[in-house]
Amino acid sequence: MKRTEMGILEILTEDARTPVSQIAVMLGETEEDVAKIIARLEKQRIILKYPALINWERVEIEEVEAVIEVRVTPQRGEGFDAIAEQIYRFEEVESVYLMSGGYDLMVTLKASTIKQLALFVAEKLSTLEHVISTATHFVLKKYKDQGVIMDETPEDRRLKVTP
């Protein structure tokens, strides 16, 4: 991957709202070239989405998030891919990762109640043919997410005045 492409990806990762004009200035490229590169990266599915990171604890919406360890039996000729696809097709599932260590897949999901989450695990996930076991961990509080400290208060940069 070229330096310009990597630069664009790094800038958009830091702030997806960065205008093409600003990216062009930062990288010493033309706006037209940057726009073409971004369009190509989107077409190649290198850039998939431009998400916002929300601190849901500050919003008055109740939500439960869980991380589920899943042990599975890999399928002959397909390994873990086929079972992972079955799992990530569920609407409730946020992400699925193949892991090393004590379990095979890590699944994250969100629901409006613990009961909904438990029903998903009991009725959908654990009943899949190749799932051996699951272990559900509820997220109680996020301190840092995607490199961002969630409850950091901005530092007061005003000069202190004393009488």
Side-chain angles (χ1 to χ4, degrees):
M1 186 165 277
K2 296 178 183 175
R3 181 189 65 78
T4 302
E5 292 170 335
M6 282 303 299
I8 290 170
L9 294 175
E10 289 169 1
I11 291 166
L12 291 175
T13 299
E14 185 64 33
D15 184 358
R17 297 178 305 164
T18 307
V20 171
S21 59
Q22 187 176 343
I23 295 171
V25 170
M26 293 169 76
L27 298 176
E29 300 286 340
T30 67
E31 286 185 42
E32 184 179 314
D33 287 344
V34 169
K36 284 181 183 177
I37 292 169
I38 291 173
R40 183 171 41 79
L41 293 172
E42 290 170 344
K43 186 176 181 181
Q44 292 174 331
R45 294 193 43 82
I46 293 171
I47 297 175
L48 299 173
K49 189 176 178 181
Y50 297 90
L53 180 59
I54 310 296
N55 186 348
W56 289 106
E57 288 184 13
R58 293 185 180 213
V59 179
E60 294 183 19
I61 294 176
E62 292 298 320
E63 185 175 68
V64 181
E65 186 172 354
V67 176
I68 305 170
E69 300 174 5
V70 183
R71 292 187 63 227
V72 300
T73 304
Q75 295 177 334
R76 184 176 306 272
E78 297 187 34
F80 295 101
D81 294 345
I83 188 69
E85 182 177 352
Q86 280 184 296
I87 294 169
Y88 70 62
R89 295 274 179 214
F90 288 119
E91 185 178 312
E92 300 89 340
V93 173
E94 294 277 319
S95 58
V96 178
Y97 303 101
L98 179 62
M99 304 296 290
S100 63
Y103 56 96
D104 304 307
L105 299 173
M106 180 177 75
V107 178
T108 62
L109 59 112
K110 293 179 182 176
S112 56
T113 66
I114 289 177
K115 183 176 182 177
Q116 282 182 331
L117 207 143
L119 286 173
F120 170 80
V121 174
E123 295 175 358
K124 293 182 180 179
L125 183 60
S126 64
T127 60
L128 292 175
E129 182 180 353
H130 298 284
V131 171
I132 299 169
S133 67
T134 63
T136 303
H137 306 275
F138 294 100
V139 176
L140 302 177
K141 181 175 182 174
K142 289 185 181 181
Y143 294 100
K144 187 174 185 177
D145 192 3
Q146 298 180 35
V148 177
I149 298 170
M150 301 305 282
D151 280 331
E152 187 172 48
T153 54
E155 183 182 328
D156 186 357
R157 296 181 181 263
R158 296 178 294 176
L159 295 174
K160 295 188 183 340
V161 178
T162 56

